[in-house]
Amino acid sequence: MTSAVTTDTSARPGYGQLLRTPGALGFVLPGFAARLPFGMLTISILLLVQHTTGSYASAGVVAAVTGISMALSAPLMGIFTDRFGQTAVLLPVVLAHSAAVTGLAALALAGSPVWLLALAAVPTGASVPQVGPMVRARWAAKLEGSPLLPTAAAFESVTDEFTFVVGPVLATALCTGVHPAAGLVTEATLTLLGGLLFAAQRASQPKTHAPSLTGEKRAFALSFPGLRVLIFAFLGIGAVFGGMQVSLAAFSNEIGNPGANGLLYGVFAAGNMIAGIAMGAIAWKIGPRRRLILGYIGLTAAASVLWAAHSMILLGALGLVVGLFIAPALITGYTMVEQLVPANARTEAFTWLTGSIAFGQAVAVILAGRLTDAHGSSFGFLVPMGATALALTALLALRAKLAPKAPSRIVNASAQEAAPAAPAKTQAKAPATGRTTTRTTAAPASRNRVNERGMGHRVPVTVD
């Protein structure tokens, strides 16, 4: 169980100050070990299934089923985590995932048909442990009301991007240099060991929010309109990831240099990491809603010209710019969860966003794959363009729903207002007559005050 920390708001927020937060390294390092395998999963499935079936299309179907299954199960996992705690959810999930991945690998090596592999991909994706949202929930609980919270969101974005750079490289080396199934076997092993290590860090876990005996209702994250807007925005971000993966691979094959795919995607990921590092080092003067919209405008503009790039240098430069604009939108969206969703539904909210990225990525892989097969890589880049344009339209139309609620409306219990305390009645004897009289006194003001977010911290409403 954790409590909010008090941070000097005059200090410049930075990564050094963030990592000096008491107890932070105790969950940051195991959290990284537990989420690294996530970056290995998709590429390991693609390489193994392509090896056993000889078809990239079949491999893409199995990988897409895995991503969609994860996207649909992630919010449910978040609900259980908020209610029963991270350890109670992680222990069975990492065991189930390791078993499911091992089963999928065995079926692929046995030459099973694609429909059976796709069926086995359902539990594989559904059991992916949501370590990233759990780490973000620990930061949110520890830094509630602190100016370091955006820095923590930036730090997590950089960590995620680092896993997506290191994970695929490690998986590719294992699948091509050791055995086609080595990537999945390593992913299952690291998930099990890393997940158990992270689950053992109980001291930094957010408190659970089980229903109380008084009939208090639990707040579900999806009931907050601001989160629904963020989910739509993150679908567009996921479509950028999926569309870029397929289209960059197709472009590399078209120019006769398949190895360029790793370089081009690495430049794209590097742009995301650079922007993420910068986001955490800047003390922002504008509100998060405006930062999100401005970042998304830049992302949409950059994604809209990818289709016109016909040289490796130009495509690499545009990919770098796209990556630079992803981080501001992604980090700001995660940061806004603390303002839009109460603590008792926060892990669920993070899993909705993570699942939204995975769902957008899976759909984009399918659409971009069909377009590139039929018309070439230029048409595959139309998927990120269209997805970000739709998401930006929704952001602009529904931006009012992203405004933080008044502090008294976002409380850790539910959306119910606190009822005014009834006047207290006291009895006393009159000194002259000895009669008993009743006197009504006002209840202390502290009884009527709603305990606002954080440890007595009053959060101002940001005006954009």
Side-chain angles (χ1 to χ4, degrees):
M1 188 176 297
T2 62
S3 60
V5 297
T6 302
T7 307
D8 181 9
T9 58
S10 64
R12 181 183 179 85
Y15 294 111
Q17 184 182 353
L18 177 71
L19 295 177
R20 288 193 296 271
T21 301
L25 291 179
F27 66 84
V28 167
L29 297 179
F32 174 76
R35 69 214 286 189
L36 176 61
F38 183 71
M40 303 174 61
L41 182 60
T42 300
I43 190 66
S44 296
I45 292 175
L46 284 170
L47 294 175
L48 175 60
V49 176
Q50 192 278 331
H51 173 80
T52 58
T53 65
S55 170
Y56 280 106
S58 299
V61 168
V62 177
V65 170
T66 303
I68 293 173
S69 179
M70 191 210 79
L72 295 177
S73 68
L76 185 61
M77 198 178 297
I79 292 174
F80 288 151
T81 300
D82 282 326
R83 180 169 179 177
F84 301 110
Q86 295 185 0
T87 297
V89 173
L90 267 179
L91 293 179
V93 164
V94 296
L95 293 172
H97 182 71
S98 298
V101 170
T102 303
L104 176 60
L107 288 173
L109 292 174
S112 301
V114 175
W115 68 265
L116 185 56
L117 296 179
L119 188 63
V122 174
T124 298
S127 60
V128 172
Q130 298 298 309
V131 178
M134 291 181 183
V135 174
R136 285 183 166 91
R138 295 192 186 210
W139 278 123
K142 187 168 285 290
L143 299 175
E144 188 162 13
S146 166
L148 281 172
L149 197 58
T151 306
F155 179 81
E156 289 305 306
S157 179
V158 173
T159 302
D160 282 340
E161 201 59 41
F162 186 73
T163 63
F164 279 109
V165 172
V166 175
V169 172
L170 176 60
T172 301
L174 290 170
C175 291
T176 57
V178 180
H179 189 275
L184 277 183
V185 172
T186 304
E187 191 275 345
T189 304
L190 291 178
T191 297
L192 180 62
L193 297 179
L196 293 177
L197 182 62
F198 180 75
Q201 311 304 312
R202 297 173 179 267
S204 57
Q205 290 188 74
K207 65 179 181 180
T208 58
H209 298 275
S212 66
L213 298 177
T214 61
E216 175 187 68
K217 294 182 179 179
R218 181 193 181 282
F220 288 95
L222 205 58
S223 64
F224 295 89
L227 179 67
R228 297 197 294 268
V229 177
L230 290 178
I231 288 173
F232 201 91
F234 275 47
L235 281 172
I237 295 175
V240 173
F241 286 123
M244 291 288 283
Q245 286 176 346
V246 173
S247 302
L248 288 176
F251 175 83
S252 300
N253 288 327
E254 289 171 1
I255 65 174
N257 186 10
N261 178 41
L263 176 61
L264 289 173
Y265 197 83
V267 171
F268 163 68
N272 198 348
M273 291 182 64
I274 292 171
I277 293 171
M279 284 285 294
I282 296 174
W284 293 96
K285 301 295 185 182
I286 60 176
R289 180 173 59 171
R290 183 173 296 177
R291 292 204 308 268
L292 176 63
I293 293 175
L294 291 176
Y296 224 100
I297 290 174
L299 175 61
T300 304
S304 297
V305 295
L306 287 169
W307 64 271
H310 298 293
S311 71
M312 184 173 170
I313 294 177
L314 181 57
L315 185 57
L318 290 176
L320 177 67
V321 175
V322 171
L324 289 173
F325 280 111
I326 280 182
L330 197 67
I331 293 169
T332 306
Y334 275 121
T335 303
M336 293 179 73
V337 169
E338 195 264 345
Q339 297 178 334
L340 299 172
V341 180
N344 65 342
R346 203 164 284 157
T347 304
E348 179 197 349
F350 287 131
T351 55
W352 272 109
L353 297 184
T354 302
S356 180
I357 294 175
F359 190 85
Q361 182 175 359
V363 173
V365 165
I366 296 174
L367 293 178
R370 289 183 175 273
L371 288 171
T372 54
D373 284 343
H375 306 288
S377 62
S378 295
F379 282 79
F381 287 119
L382 295 178
V383 174
M385 181 184 74
T388 52
L390 288 174
L392 176 60
T393 301
L395 272 177
L396 294 175
L398 303 174
R399 62 186 181 276
K401 297 184 181 300
L402 293 173
K405 302 297 182 182
S408 60
R409 296 292 301 277
I410 302 183
V411 292
N412 290 344
S414 67
Q416 298 174 346
E417 297 282 348
K425 294 184 177 181
T426 59
Q427 290 184 340
K429 288 187 177 181
T433 62
R435 295 179 181 177
T436 301
T437 61
T438 302
R439 182 176 59 197
T440 301
T441 60
S446 60
R447 296 183 182 178
N448 293 330
R449 185 173 63 241
V450 176
N451 185 20
E452 296 168 356
R453 296 169 50 242
M455 300 296 290
H457 179 75
R458 183 178 296 275
V459 181
V461 176
T462 302
V463 179
D464 287 337

